[in-house]
Every structure is written in C-alpha cells, then in structure tokens.
Amino acid sequence: MCIHLLALHCCCCESRWVQDADLWSWKLPDSRAFHAGLAAQNLEYSALKNPQIWQQLQQLDAQKVIQDGKAILDRQEQLTSAAVARSKLYQLGGAQGLACGWGTCLGVTVQVANTCLLYVV
C-alpha cells in the first residue's frame, strides 16, 4: 500500500489527491473521475512485480485519465439508474417477517454474467 500511495503522490505531485480518495471526501475537482480512470489502468503498484511502475505513472496524462474516468462514472450511473428503475419493495422475512415487524427494503433481481442464476439484492 505504501508503494501505491507514494506512486500516486509522485504522479499527482500532491498527497491531497490520495487523501481525497482515501477519506472519500471527493472535494477536489474531478477527483472521482481521476481515481476511476487510474483504477482502469490496471497498474501493478508493487515495484517488485512491476519495476517500471514509476515510469508508467509519470507517463500518464492526467487529463486523459480524468476523461476516461468520467466515461466510467457515466456508465456506472447508467447501470445504477437502470437497476433502481427495476427495483421492487420486498418484505423482509416474508409473511413471518411482516408478523415480526421486520419492515421492507428495496431490491432488484440481477443475473450473474454468463449463467442462469438470478439473485435478489
């Protein structure tokens, strides 16, 4: 984790970007998009496994990373909105839960990729 933090610090020139994500503050402009785009790079942060990590981070174009991250966040928002639109109200515990006063929750039925399995989450 230290290598990851140091690499981001070197790349961004400020530790506040790391702090903004670690604390889930998201106060800096395009912070979410930057971190989404950075995660999409699928970089190996261990210098033992990837001796070129420093060079890879230095070669990143921050604006391109943010642009890619915005596209990722837009897609996530579309998927989330679609799931919410399909949501239904479920009685926790069924009839027994109703009798016990367990209440209700929103849920959505999702299909696991490449299977016939359906789950309510």
Side-chain angles (χ1 to χ4, degrees):
M1 185 62 178
C2 289
I3 291 174
H4 175 73
L5 294 176
L6 289 173
L8 281 176
H9 178 75
C10 177
C11 177
C12 302
C13 300
E14 294 192 37
S15 61
R16 60 190 182 123
W17 284 92
V18 176
Q19 180 181 359
D20 197 45
D22 283 350
L23 298 178
W24 289 29
S25 302
W26 309 119
K27 293 178 181 175
L28 297 175
D30 295 324
S31 184
R32 284 181 191 248
F34 175 80
H35 285 87
L38 186 63
Q41 299 290 321
N42 293 319
L43 296 173
E44 172 58 62
Y45 290 99
S46 170
L48 297 175
K49 295 179 183 177
N50 181 11
Q52 301 301 314
I53 185 61
W54 303 110
Q55 291 81 6
Q56 291 172 345
L57 288 169
Q58 289 174 341
Q59 291 172 357
L60 289 176
D61 177 357
Q63 291 306 315
K64 173 81 167 95
V65 171
I66 289 170
Q67 180 182 8
D68 293 347
K70 285 181 178 180
I72 291 166
L73 294 176
D74 286 346
R75 180 67 178 140
Q76 288 176 347
E77 180 63 32
Q78 291 171 354
L79 293 172
T80 301
S81 294
V84 169
R86 293 189 320 269
S87 66
K88 297 187 273 186
L89 197 59
Y90 287 91
Q91 174 60 52
L92 297 174
Q96 183 180 2
L98 179 61
C100 294
W102 288 356
T104 58
C105 70
L106 283 178
V108 64
T109 303
V110 295
Q111 184 171 4
V112 178
N114 301 321
T115 71
C116 296
L117 300 174
L118 296 176
Y119 292 97
V120 174
V121 289

